[in-house]
Amino acid sequence: MQTTLQLGIVANLYHETPDLRRRIAAVDWARVLPGLGGEASIDVAEGVEQIGLVLDLVGQIAADEIAPHAAEVDRQGARLIDGCVVYADATQRQLRLLAEAGLMGFILPEEFGGLNLPVSAYTAAVELISAADASLMTIFALQGCGETLHRFGDRALQERHLPRLAAGEITACMALTEPGAGSALGAVRTRARLQGNRWSVSGGKIFITNGGADLLLVLARTEADEGGKGLSLVAVERNDAVRVIRLEEKLGIHGSPTAQLEIDNALGDLLGKRGDGLYGVTMALMHHVRLEVAAQAVGIAQAAQTQAVRYASEREQFNRTIDRFAPVRTMLFENARQIETARAILYATTEVVDLRRGLRRTGANPGELERCDRLLDLLTPLSKFYACEIVNEVTSRALQVHGGYGYTRDYPAERYFRDGRITNIYEGTSEIQAGAMIQHLTNGGLAVLVEERLNRATENGDGTLQGLQDAYEILAAGLEAAGAADKLSQQGWARAFVEATGELLGGLVLHNDGRSDERSATLAWTQARLAMQKAVSARTQETTSFADETYEMIVAPYRRDA
Ligand SMILES: Cc1cc2nc3c(=O)[nH]c(=O)nc-3n(C[C@H](O)[C@H](O)[C@H](O)COP(=O)(O)OP(=O)(O)OC[C@H]3O[C@@H](n4cnc5c(N)ncnc54)[C@H](O)[C@@H]3O)c2cc1C
């Protein structure tokens, strides 16, 4: 857990985000750190201090070296020059700096040059970098590929790639999506054929973030099965057999290259077992990266809100600053509530991820490991869904607070709005997250998620806990009814039920914080009321019909031939 770089600078995004620091302080480090192995398990207090120092360093780099160049990166963007992907100038400098600081192997073990830090700390770093420049995050957070290689690669592969990834000498990408296989990755057509003890991969991929990377994790068909069980994940080192043929022109995250790839007999090595590439290896990778995309959303939302609050305190209309007007306050209050709720859910999730990593490493307590797995089946899609939905609302309000200036490039509000928009599309759209969650929720998942927290919570005299309990009961009854409905209806109602679940869980976490913090208590009180409203609203959704006849009647009039 040692970083080497010392910077003689003062601005610090970590210091300027007290809510994030509170979240990090609230992690149950006494349980998490011993599970890590390595130096951190020796002394918990020392481990916590080290984490603080590393996040301080990330906060400094984010504030002084990344944020000031975000607009320039947005304008210059990543480019494709003679078949090579070239990052924006500032992105190149920043990646060198992050590598020099030893921050490119955040969660990798020390034996491979990593920092061996917990996922909660890494997620906080991702949040800070995203707040400074959301496009840089997409390259930084592909560190998750290293984690996958560590978990599923053999020793030779680990030794070949991990030290260079941790040192920032090489970067990685996940090459999954194809034109006919987006949400439905089981339809991937790229093929891999056994050649000696290696695999020869051929096919085409689209939308690959950092597609010019040195190491590609390619989802390819190795088995006769035409569905997801025929796929494996193959680690391919860049060579002439992999060509970047175009970069997408996108709405936002311009500094992040999104590549179309042609792969022609590229040799690679299997990660995990044959046929386990989608449901085993890739899902593990995606679960990991989904949380980092949630962190990206929280970071962008935080940056947008910070800018909006500053603007509202300076901009005068009708002889007063606009933050004196209740409608402006309402927008900024709602932003704060949503950001804190998203953050509460996210770090409650990463804590379970960290506990599970420790249990896996030590092999202790299989029952607890199973409980963590079940919790994460719910918490991971919920974190991704909630954060990536609210960032769109938060950045839209932040832009609105700027009035006409928000629509121009004079202020970064429009960039936050554009950058945030990708988060509920990639790494599994919000519809896919909600669809996965509703199956668990109608199958007893709500109780798994909240009952223990409800039982542990204590009333503080303002009715918050009662409100949360009422919301739980309404929601549970609604889910029971939904569970008896047909699949199409369940999927149609999923969004409303997942939103209500997010408000309820966020409310419970904030209520717990509220024992020592008035701000959290106030937010929790609001959450309790909102959770109840959303629970009632989710139940009301049950009247909506998704039947073919209704769709034909309401939507068909818009249908025109192309
Ligand atoms: C900037 C960017 C970066 C990306 N980076 C990567 C990367 O690094 N690696 C990679 O492999 N891919 C990457 N992707 C691809 C991304 O993961 C996919 O775009 C995404 O999963 C959606 O797939 P699709 O675009 O084919 O949309 P589709 O799957 O066609 O979805 C279209 C719409 O239908 C909905 N839908 C589809 N199926 C269902 C369902 N079963 N239930 C409910 N609704 C459904 C979706 O929610 C969406 O609203 C990236 C994409 C972008 C734009």
Side-chain angles (χ1 to χ4, degrees):
M1 275 217 276
Q2 295 293 324
T3 66
T4 48
L5 198 80
Q6 298 291 319
L7 298 172
I9 42 185
V10 285
N12 191 317
L13 276 195
Y14 188 49
H15 289 183
E16 291 162 22
T17 318
D19 288 312
L20 174 59
R21 279 189 284 126
R22 181 166 335 102
R23 280 281 143 249
I24 290 300
V27 172
D28 190 349
W29 293 119
R31 285 180 73 205
V32 165
L33 288 180
L36 275 179
E39 288 171 24
S41 62
I42 297 165
D43 185 293
V44 171
E46 214 174 283
V48 171
E49 196 188 328
Q50 283 292 329
I51 288 167
L53 288 174
V54 174
L55 291 178
D56 262 357
L57 178 63
V58 178
Q60 285 182 359
I61 294 176
D64 277 3
E65 305 290 336
I66 302 174
H69 303 285
E72 171 195 328
V73 169
D74 180 54
R75 274 194 303 277
Q76 191 183 24
R79 289 144 295 147
L80 187 63
I81 301 175
D82 298 331
C84 290
V85 175
V86 180
Y87 301 132
D89 299 342
T91 308
Q92 294 178 33
R93 287 197 305 275
Q94 291 156 358
L95 285 171
R96 274 198 300 273
L97 187 63
L98 290 166
E100 217 184 300
L103 298 170
M104 296 305 284
F106 233 90
I107 54 176
L108 286 177
E110 286 145 347
E111 63 171 313
F112 297 114
L115 291 174
N116 194 34
L117 283 165
V119 171
S120 300
Y122 170 56
T123 304
V126 170
E127 185 190 320
L128 291 167
I129 286 179
S130 307
D133 182 345
S135 69
L136 182 67
M137 170 278 178
T138 66
I139 306 163
F140 179 77
L142 279 164
Q143 293 189 29
C145 293
E147 161 84 354
T148 302
L149 219 131
H150 178 239
R151 190 166 156 207
F152 295 100
D154 62 23
R155 185 74 195 176
L157 268 186
Q158 293 174 348
E159 284 174 358
R160 187 151 85 237
H161 299 302
L162 294 182
R164 289 192 299 152
L165 279 170
E169 287 165 22
I170 59 169
T171 60
C173 70
M174 308 183 295
L176 317 174
T177 304
E178 297 178 4
S183 299
L185 284 172
V188 155
R189 297 170 67 130
T190 292
R191 294 213 165 258
R193 291 190 175 77
L194 201 53
Q195 200 168 309
N197 59 356
R198 303 192 78 198
W199 291 85
S200 171
V201 182
S202 293
K205 296 285 176 183
I206 57 162
F207 292 162
I208 307 307
T209 298
N210 201 31
D214 316 84
L215 181 67
L216 302 93
L217 305 191
V218 186
L219 191 62
R221 193 161 299 282
T222 54
E223 314 302 314
D225 185 298
E226 285 302 314
K229 289 185 180 154
L231 299 173
S232 303
L233 200 67
V234 183
V236 172
E237 267 177 82
R238 170 160 302 281
N239 58 39
D240 291 346
V242 181
R243 288 199 313 129
V244 177
I245 54 177
R246 75 176 234 152
L247 293 187
E248 302 299 334
E249 288 183 27
K250 312 191 294 292
L251 178 69
I253 53 166
H254 291 158
S256 171
T258 309
Q260 184 175 344
L261 306 177
E262 240 175 38
I263 309 173
D264 185 13
N265 283 314
L267 279 184
D269 304 286
L270 196 67
L271 291 183
K273 294 197 198 95
R274 282 177 66 161
D276 198 31
L278 179 57
Y279 300 121
V281 189
T282 301
M283 277 306 148
L285 170 62
M286 283 179 87
H287 269 80
H288 193 74
V289 181
R290 278 174 184 170
L291 292 182
E292 306 322 325
V293 173
Q296 180 185 35
V298 173
I300 298 169
Q302 172 78 28
Q305 168 79 340
T306 305
Q307 164 62 32
V309 170
R310 183 187 308 136
Y311 185 83
S313 70
E314 290 167 357
R315 170 72 172 167
E316 289 192 9
Q317 289 292 282
F318 303 97
N319 297 321
R320 54 178 66 183
T321 55
I322 59 170
D323 62 5
R324 309 295 298 163
F325 301 121
V328 174
R329 286 189 171 183
T330 306
M331 289 192 271
L332 295 173
F333 181 87
E334 182 60 358
N335 276 1
R337 184 195 68 73
Q338 288 185 328
I339 294 168
E340 291 336 310
T341 304
R343 202 176 257 137
I345 298 170
L346 176 59
Y347 291 91
T349 307
T350 60
E351 184 181 75
V352 181
V353 172
D354 279 325
L355 290 171
R356 184 177 63 173
R357 282 179 93 211
L359 291 167
R360 270 219 191 103
R361 202 184 62 76
T362 57
N365 203 341
E368 180 63 5
L369 180 62
E370 205 178 302
R371 195 184 77 90
C372 288
D373 281 340
R374 179 125 205 248
L375 265 173
L376 288 174
D377 283 343
L378 293 144
L379 282 168
T380 305
L382 183 61
S383 289
K384 165 86 169 57
F385 176 93
Y386 193 94
C388 299
E389 285 299 300
I390 66 101
V391 70
N392 286 290
E393 296 178 26
V394 167
T395 54
S396 176
R397 285 189 208 101
L399 190 154
Q400 184 73 12
V401 166
H402 288 71
Y405 293 99
Y407 200 67
T408 71
R409 291 206 161 183
D410 290 3
Y411 289 90
E414 60 85 33
R415 173 162 49 82
Y416 298 134
F417 181 70
R418 288 186 285 110
D419 285 354
R421 189 63 187 82
I422 185 59
T423 60
N424 59 347
I425 296 175
Y426 61 13
E427 286 312 318
T429 63
S430 280
E431 292 71 35
I432 294 293
Q433 307 305 319
M437 237 198 122
I438 192 74
Q439 290 178 16
H440 293 293
L441 285 175
T442 50
N443 204 8
L446 185 68
V448 175
L449 204 55
V450 300
E451 245 176 24
E452 197 191 319
R453 283 180 191 274
L454 263 176
N455 293 340
R456 266 192 284 130
T458 47
E459 188 53 90
N460 59 5
D462 66 359
T464 300
L465 184 56
Q466 188 58 53
L468 292 168
Q469 250 151 2
D470 292 346
Y472 173 55
E473 276 158 32
I474 298 166
L475 195 53
L479 281 165
E480 200 180 328
D486 62 281
K487 195 108 181 138
L488 189 66
S489 301
Q490 280 182 20
Q491 292 288 320
W493 301 329
R495 174 175 283 269
F497 279 110
V498 173
E499 272 176 18
T501 304
E503 304 305 358
L504 174 59
L505 180 67
L508 276 163
V509 178
L510 288 165
H511 177 65
N512 187 47
D513 299 344
R515 287 184 301 190
S516 56
D517 170 45
E518 198 187 339
R519 182 165 181 268
S520 299
T522 307
L523 289 171
W525 185 88
T526 314
Q527 278 303 121
R529 263 114 208 102
L530 194 71
M532 230 179 331
Q533 277 174 26
K534 293 253 176 168
V536 171
S537 152
R539 284 195 70 167
T540 321
Q541 296 268 326
E542 289 168 29
T543 55
T544 314
S545 167
F546 300 95
D548 289 347
E549 316 81 76
T550 320
Y551 184 80
E552 279 302 310
M553 177 176 61
I554 305 293
V555 181
Y558 295 98
R559 197 178 288 145
R560 295 280 182 274
D561 290 336

